[in-house]
Amino acid sequence: MTLIEAIGYLASALVLLTFCMSTMLSLRAVAICSNFAFISYGFGAGLYPVLVLHVVLLPLNIVLLVRMVILLRKAKLAAATDLSPLWMQPFMWPKHFKAGETIFRKGQHADLLYMVVSGEVGLPEIDQRLSAGDLFGEIGLFSLERRRTQTAVAATNVDLLCISDEALKKLCERNPGLSLYFLRLTATRMTQNASRLPPIGANAPSNCDLGSDRPF
């Protein structure tokens, strides 16, 4: 077996190995190694279609790998610190609502996650306002029923960024660290919302309020 043939077998083995990878990060790393191997094999064996294909694929895989590494680092940092959602902005698109407009109603199907860019958003059921930098809509998005648990209204003219549930799902599949981020975010939001609800029985009438004409 010649050296060129050995490189060809190595390149093929690396392609086979990509099907065994459990994460996109490791898959891209192995794919880059296979690109280098195929470039060497294509050049040495005079297989120019193979050479051209992997010369094109190599920078593409490198760019995707770098993007994944950067995104994953930001997500892990956010999950470990202040739950900052700023790293999501490149994957979102803008929407604008005028003051008083309803963004979504309680019980509606949840298909978008929102982030406030400017202005304020009101959640009337729990008497809360969200301002720039706040994410909202994630509880309904990740619930089994996929229904909104609160009504969201533009308290002022508001600029938002949003991302679809499908796009968010793909990001989480590629980067498991994002799932941890949203787990912490959802748990924090549910705890905060629960603390704003009146205690059970707080509005129930006491025995003293039932009237003095009841039988003893």
Side-chain angles (χ1 to χ4, degrees):
M1 180 187 298
T2 65
L3 176 61
I4 296 301
E5 289 176 338
I7 293 175
Y9 282 115
L10 173 62
S12 300
L14 289 172
V15 171
L16 180 61
L17 187 59
T18 60
F19 291 93
C20 304
M21 296 296 100
S22 58
T23 66
M24 288 295 295
L25 202 63
S26 56
L27 186 150
R28 291 294 177 191
V30 174
I32 289 172
C33 293
S34 72
N35 291 148
F36 279 115
F38 271 115
I39 288 172
S40 301
Y41 175 64
F43 181 78
L47 300 175
Y48 297 109
V50 173
L51 175 63
V52 171
L53 173 62
H54 288 275
V55 165
V56 172
L57 289 177
L58 177 60
L60 178 61
N61 279 321
I62 291 175
V63 169
L64 291 175
L65 177 64
V66 171
R67 287 183 61 183
M68 287 181 186
V69 170
I70 293 174
L71 183 61
L72 187 56
R73 284 179 179 175
K74 289 182 178 180
K76 286 182 177 179
L77 178 62
T81 54
D82 62 353
L83 296 179
S84 172
L86 298 180
W87 49 267
M88 291 185 58
Q89 290 186 9
F91 304 95
M92 307 177 84
W93 68 87
K95 294 188 75 171
H96 176 78
F97 290 88
K98 294 181 180 179
E101 286 188 307
T102 299
I103 301 170
F104 55 75
R105 295 186 182 277
K106 183 176 180 179
Q108 283 183 339
H109 177 69
D111 58 355
L112 294 174
L113 176 73
Y114 298 89
M115 184 174 73
V116 182
V117 177
S118 64
E120 293 187 335
V121 173
L123 305 177
E125 284 91 353
I126 57 175
D127 192 25
Q128 181 186 6
R129 284 200 173 192
L130 307 175
S131 56
D134 287 333
L135 283 175
F136 66 100
E138 76 287 344
I139 296 179
L141 206 62
F142 290 105
S143 67
L144 292 176
E145 296 81 9
R146 298 291 299 279
R147 298 290 177 183
R148 297 298 186 189
T149 59
Q150 304 285 338
T151 297
V153 180
T156 64
N157 290 340
V158 62
D159 290 306
L160 305 175
L161 289 174
C162 58
I163 184 171
S164 69
D165 56 341
E166 286 299 322
L168 188 59
K169 180 181 178 181
K170 290 179 180 178
L171 286 179
C172 290
E173 287 175 348
R174 293 175 182 175
N175 302 276
L178 304 188
S179 299
L180 174 61
Y181 172 89
F182 282 107
L183 177 62
R184 293 189 67 237
L185 178 64
T186 302
T188 300
R189 185 65 53 82
M190 292 181 69
T191 301
Q192 292 173 345
N193 291 350
S195 68
R196 292 183 173 89
L197 295 175
I200 297 176
N203 297 323
S206 64
N207 291 338
C208 297
D209 296 330
L210 296 179
S212 58
D213 56 347
R214 68 187 186 282
F216 291 94

